[in-house]
Short mmCIF file of all heavy atoms in Angstrom, two decimals:
data_model
loop_
_atom_site.label_atom_id
_atom_site.label_comp_id
_atom_site.label_asym_id
_atom_site.label_seq_id
_atom_site.Cartn_x
_atom_site.Cartn_y
_atom_site.Cartn_z
N VAL A 48 84.96 12.73 22.26
CA VAL A 48 83.88 12.00 21.57
C VAL A 48 83.56 12.67 20.25
O VAL A 48 83.30 12.00 19.23
CB VAL A 48 82.63 11.91 22.48
CG1 VAL A 48 81.45 11.34 21.73
CG2 VAL A 48 82.93 11.08 23.71
N LEU A 49 83.59 13.99 20.23
CA LEU A 49 83.31 14.71 18.98
C LEU A 49 84.38 14.45 17.92
O LEU A 49 84.07 14.28 16.74
CB LEU A 49 83.21 16.21 19.27
CG LEU A 49 82.65 17.09 18.17
CD1 LEU A 49 81.25 16.64 17.79
CD2 LEU A 49 82.61 18.52 18.64
N MET A 50 85.63 14.35 18.34
CA MET A 50 86.70 14.03 17.38
C MET A 50 86.53 12.62 16.83
O MET A 50 86.74 12.38 15.63
CB MET A 50 88.06 14.20 18.04
CG MET A 50 88.46 15.64 18.22
SD MET A 50 90.17 15.89 18.72
CE MET A 50 90.20 15.12 20.31
N VAL A 51 86.14 11.67 17.66
CA VAL A 51 85.89 10.31 17.19
C VAL A 51 84.73 10.31 16.20
O VAL A 51 84.77 9.61 15.18
CB VAL A 51 85.62 9.37 18.39
CG1 VAL A 51 85.09 8.02 17.93
CG2 VAL A 51 86.85 9.21 19.23
N ALA A 52 83.70 11.11 16.47
CA ALA A 52 82.56 11.20 15.55
C ALA A 52 83.00 11.74 14.20
O ALA A 52 82.58 11.23 13.15
CB ALA A 52 81.47 12.09 16.15
N VAL A 53 83.85 12.75 14.20
CA VAL A 53 84.32 13.31 12.94
C VAL A 53 85.15 12.27 12.17
O VAL A 53 85.01 12.14 10.94
CB VAL A 53 85.13 14.60 13.19
CG1 VAL A 53 85.87 15.06 11.95
CG2 VAL A 53 84.21 15.70 13.70
N VAL A 54 85.98 11.52 12.88
CA VAL A 54 86.78 10.48 12.22
C VAL A 54 85.86 9.44 11.60
O VAL A 54 86.07 9.01 10.46
CB VAL A 54 87.77 9.84 13.22
CG1 VAL A 54 88.39 8.57 12.65
CG2 VAL A 54 88.84 10.83 13.61
N PHE A 55 84.84 9.02 12.33
CA PHE A 55 83.90 8.04 11.77
C PHE A 55 83.17 8.61 10.56
O PHE A 55 82.97 7.91 9.56
CB PHE A 55 82.88 7.59 12.81
CG PHE A 55 83.37 6.49 13.72
CD1 PHE A 55 83.01 6.47 15.05
CD2 PHE A 55 84.16 5.47 13.24
CE1 PHE A 55 83.44 5.46 15.89
CE2 PHE A 55 84.60 4.45 14.07
CZ PHE A 55 84.24 4.45 15.39
N LEU A 56 82.74 9.85 10.63
CA LEU A 56 82.01 10.43 9.52
C LEU A 56 82.90 10.59 8.28
O LEU A 56 82.45 10.38 7.15
CB LEU A 56 81.40 11.77 9.92
CG LEU A 56 80.24 11.69 10.91
CD1 LEU A 56 79.85 13.08 11.38
CD2 LEU A 56 79.06 10.97 10.31
N LEU A 57 84.15 10.97 8.48
CA LEU A 57 85.07 11.13 7.36
C LEU A 57 85.54 9.79 6.78
O LEU A 57 85.95 9.73 5.62
CB LEU A 57 86.28 11.96 7.77
CG LEU A 57 85.99 13.43 8.07
CD1 LEU A 57 87.25 14.13 8.54
CD2 LEU A 57 85.38 14.13 6.87
N SER A 58 85.47 8.72 7.56
CA SER A 58 85.91 7.42 7.06
C SER A 58 84.73 6.58 6.55
O SER A 58 84.81 5.36 6.51
CB SER A 58 86.66 6.66 8.16
OG SER A 58 85.78 6.37 9.23
N ALA A 59 83.65 7.23 6.18
CA ALA A 59 82.49 6.59 5.55
C ALA A 59 81.79 5.60 6.47
O ALA A 59 81.36 4.53 6.04
CB ALA A 59 82.87 5.94 4.23
N HIS A 60 81.69 5.93 7.75
CA HIS A 60 80.89 5.15 8.70
C HIS A 60 79.82 6.08 9.29
O HIS A 60 79.93 6.52 10.43
CB HIS A 60 81.76 4.59 9.82
CG HIS A 60 82.73 3.56 9.36
ND1 HIS A 60 83.98 3.88 8.92
CD2 HIS A 60 82.60 2.21 9.25
CE1 HIS A 60 84.62 2.78 8.58
NE2 HIS A 60 83.80 1.75 8.75
N PRO A 61 78.77 6.37 8.50
CA PRO A 61 77.81 7.39 8.94
C PRO A 61 77.01 7.00 10.18
O PRO A 61 76.70 7.86 11.01
CB PRO A 61 76.91 7.59 7.74
CG PRO A 61 77.02 6.33 6.96
CD PRO A 61 78.41 5.83 7.21
#
Side-chain angles (χ1 to χ4, degrees):
V48 172
L49 192 58
M50 286 190 296
V51 169
V53 169
V54 168
F55 277 143
L56 290 172
L57 292 177
S58 65
H60 293 89

